[in-house]
Amino acid sequence: KWGSIEVIVGPMYAGKTEELIRRVNRAQIADLKVLVFKPVIDSRYSKDKVTSHNGKQIECQVVENPQEILDYIAKEDFDVLAIDEVQFFGEEIINICQETADKGKRVIVSGLDMDFRGEPFSVAPNLMAVGEYVTKLTAICKVCKMPATRTQRLVDGRPARYTDPIIMVGAKESYEARCRKCHEVVE
Ligand code: ADP
Ligand code: TMP
Ligand code: MG
Ligand code: ZN
């Protein structure tokens, strides 16, 4: 049996979660057993569902760390492993994806490839390296309306500072999609 890793990346609002949901739905139509996970930290729209910015939802298991995913997949029979917001997990998530694909399963992960500073974010860049299929989506730049590849963090309406903490859960009140030209970080 042939396994693989599919990686969906891009800035916020690019449609990563919608695309993950679309792939999960289609796998379910094909009668495949899908296990969906998200990290507990992402409680923006729903505590217990994977939810997109425009309200699309699917059921999922909410986990605190990669080990919980390992424990879960060890005792369940499944064909597809799907993980949203992969940037919130530690390095161990890479091995879990690799070993699962090695066992002949289909792995679908989505997450941010860059943080608000425009730098490679956590584990998604490494998953892009080892994955078979990489889909890099763009949003619409809030300023110039061209394709957006970056996420602008705003603090009281102003560009965030380079030294601000990397992790800050949020949506429209703190983040917008921007292109390379319009993206700003204050030193
Ligand atoms: P992601 O998980 O990548 O942040 P979602 O799949 O949750 O994205 O949401 C994508 C949806 O966000 C789009 O279909 C659209 O309805 C909405 N949206 C809001 N702002 C933008 C934007 N600037 N560019 C594109 N889509 C946007
Ligand atoms: P999204 O990609 O589904 O829109 O969700 C991204 C989440 O990541 C959102 O809760 C905001 C958070 N985030 C950070 O913690 N740090 C960052 O640098 C960026 C860009 C987003
Ligand atoms: Mg999302
Ligand atoms: Zn722009």
Side-chain angles (χ1 to χ4, degrees):
K1 221 168 136 207
W2 207 82
S4 62
I5 302 177
E6 299 164 35
V7 189
I8 304 164
V9 296
M12 288 181 67
Y13 314 105
K16 301 181 300 295
T17 298
E18 276 188 286
E19 179 61 17
L20 181 103
I21 291 173
R22 192 183 77 90
R23 293 185 195 185
V24 167
N25 284 155
R26 292 171 62 93
Q28 286 166 340
I29 289 168
D31 287 330
L32 296 173
K33 174 85 196 287
V34 188
L35 297 180
V36 186
F37 296 91
K38 78 166 187 180
V40 68
I41 179 170
D42 172 39
S43 56
R44 290 170 303 176
Y45 300 116
S46 163
K47 278 216 302 267
D48 57 356
K49 292 192 177 70
V50 165
T51 308
S52 72
H53 289 289
N54 56 2
K56 295 191 181 134
Q57 294 191 320
I58 45 168
E59 298 289 331
C60 70
Q61 301 295 325
V62 181
V63 291
E64 297 205 2
N65 50 54
Q67 183 61 44
E68 272 189 49
I69 298 183
L70 260 190
D71 295 345
Y72 205 92
I73 63 181
K75 57 183 208 287
E76 291 278 332
D77 188 35
F78 68 98
D79 307 295
V80 182
L81 167 64
I83 309 170
D84 197 17
E85 303 284 4
V86 79
Q87 74 275 357
F88 291 136
F89 289 110
E91 293 283 309
E92 314 93 284
I93 199 74
I94 297 172
N95 275 333
I96 294 176
C97 292
Q98 292 269 61
E99 282 164 19
T100 305
D102 289 345
K103 286 184 188 139
K105 313 284 189 194
R106 178 177 172 198
V107 179
I108 310 170
V109 296
S110 74
L112 294 166
D113 50 353
M114 283 181 262
D115 60 28
F116 74 97
R117 307 172 306 177
E119 301 201 347
F121 196 169
S122 163
V123 298
N126 288 321
L127 282 164
M128 291 167 77
V130 299
E132 274 76 8
Y133 307 104
V134 178
T135 305
K136 185 153 168 156
L137 301 172
T138 55
I140 304 296
C141 175
K142 198 75 198 297
V143 179
C144 76
K145 318 303 174 193
M146 292 301 282
T149 50
R150 279 136 222 267
T151 307
Q152 180 69 50
R153 182 188 290 173
L154 297 166
V155 180
D156 300 325
R158 290 212 163 80
R161 293 179 173 278
Y162 191 84
T163 49
D164 286 353
I166 305 285
I167 292 189
M168 188 184 96
V169 172
K172 294 259 149 107
E173 73 298 336
S174 325
Y175 291 104
E176 54 188 50
R178 300 242 184 130
C179 71
R180 178 188 288 277
K181 184 167 69 73
C182 301
H183 181 253
E184 289 173 88
V185 184
V186 180
E187 281 303 314

